Amino acid sequence: MCGSLESIRSRKPRTGIRKRVGIGNSSNFSEQVVESFPSDISTGIYYGWACVGNGDVHKMVLSIGWNPFYKNIKKSVETHIIHTFKEDFYGEILSIVIIGYIRPEKNFDSLEALISAIQEDIEEANRQLDLPEHLKLKDDNFFYLPEGKIVNGH
């Protein structure tokens, strides 16, 4: 990310494609949040940290783009949290920090190829986020919300 970090906080919206393909917990940000992303962020796959509410901070992979395999007509931002939650966290505040870039967005010939790429993205995110310079960002104060704080008008 060329020396800068991007952070986003919003209520957790609808379930994303990764849950549909059987790869853990994911969510798509609302159109309003997608439109508020900095315009200079390229489409592609990123890694970083995510926190639901005031819970623990977990590794995440983020997809920014049109998900060409699903032929989306609107740009989306989908977060895949690398953690197994016991229950859905719909309506909770999802805070993310984007730390680095993995690869450009691309189309796939099959669902199996898409799933394989997602698994490779998760492996790369795990490797990168275990580096000391990225691991220390897990404890950033950004992830700890004061009680009753209003976020994005909610």
Side-chain angles (χ1 to χ4, degrees), residues 38-46 63-65 75 101 103 105:
S39 60
D40 61 342
I41 294 181
S42 300
T43 60
I45 310 303
Y46 294 82
S63 171
I64 300 175
K75 188 175 187 179
Y101 183 78
R103 64 171 174 84
E105 180 179 44

Side-chain angles (χ1 to χ4, degrees), residues 49 51 53-54 57 95 97 137-138 140-145:
W49 296 105
C51 179
N54 277 325
V57 178
S95 304
V97 173
L137 296 170
K138 181 179 179 180
D140 193 277
N141 286 336
F142 168 78
F143 290 114
Y144 303 100
L145 292 168

Side-chain angles (χ1 to χ4, degrees), residues 4-151:
S4 68
L5 301 177
E6 295 295 340
S7 57
I8 306 293
R9 183 175 286 139
S10 180
R11 293 212 180 266
K12 190 259 188 203
R14 66 188 183 278
T15 300
I17 65 164
R18 291 199 174 106
K19 196 165 192 175
R20 291 199 305 260
V21 298
I23 303 180
N25 298 286
S26 68
S27 63
N28 292 343
F29 282 106
S30 69
E31 286 182 39
Q32 175 188 0
V33 173
V34 172
E35 290 170 3
S36 74
F37 264 58
S39 60
D40 61 342
I41 294 181
S42 300
T43 60
I45 310 303
Y46 294 82
Y47 62 88
W49 296 105
C51 179
V52 177
N54 277 325
D56 293 336
V57 178
H58 302 286
K59 296 174 181 176
M60 65 101 183
V61 174
L62 185 80
S63 171
I64 300 175
W66 286 269
N67 294 320
F69 182 78
Y70 288 99
K71 298 175 178 40
N72 289 3
I73 57 171
K74 291 188 178 184
K75 188 175 187 179
S76 66
V77 177
E78 182 180 353
T79 306
H80 169 73
I81 302 173
I82 305 171
H83 176 76
T84 302
F85 291 89
K86 292 181 181 173
E87 53 190 53
D88 190 3
F89 47 90
Y90 186 83
E92 292 288 333
I93 303 238
L94 176 61
S95 304
I96 65 168
V97 173
I98 303 169
I99 296 173
Y101 183 78
I102 297 175
R103 64 171 174 84
E105 180 179 44
K106 61 182 178 180
N107 200 355
F108 297 93
D109 294 329
S110 67
L111 182 59
E112 292 76 21
L114 171 61
I115 291 170
S116 178
I118 292 170
Q119 290 168 336
E120 290 172 13
D121 297 338
I122 291 168
E123 289 172 15
E124 180 63 16
N126 278 319
R127 279 191 294 275
Q128 292 297 323
L129 292 167
D130 284 340
L131 296 172
E133 63 267 27
H134 296 153
L135 198 55
K136 69 182 179 184
L137 296 170
K138 181 179 179 180
D139 297 322
D140 193 277
N141 286 336
F142 168 78
F143 290 114
Y144 303 100
L145 292 168
E147 289 298 317
K149 181 171 180 170
I150 297 174
V151 178

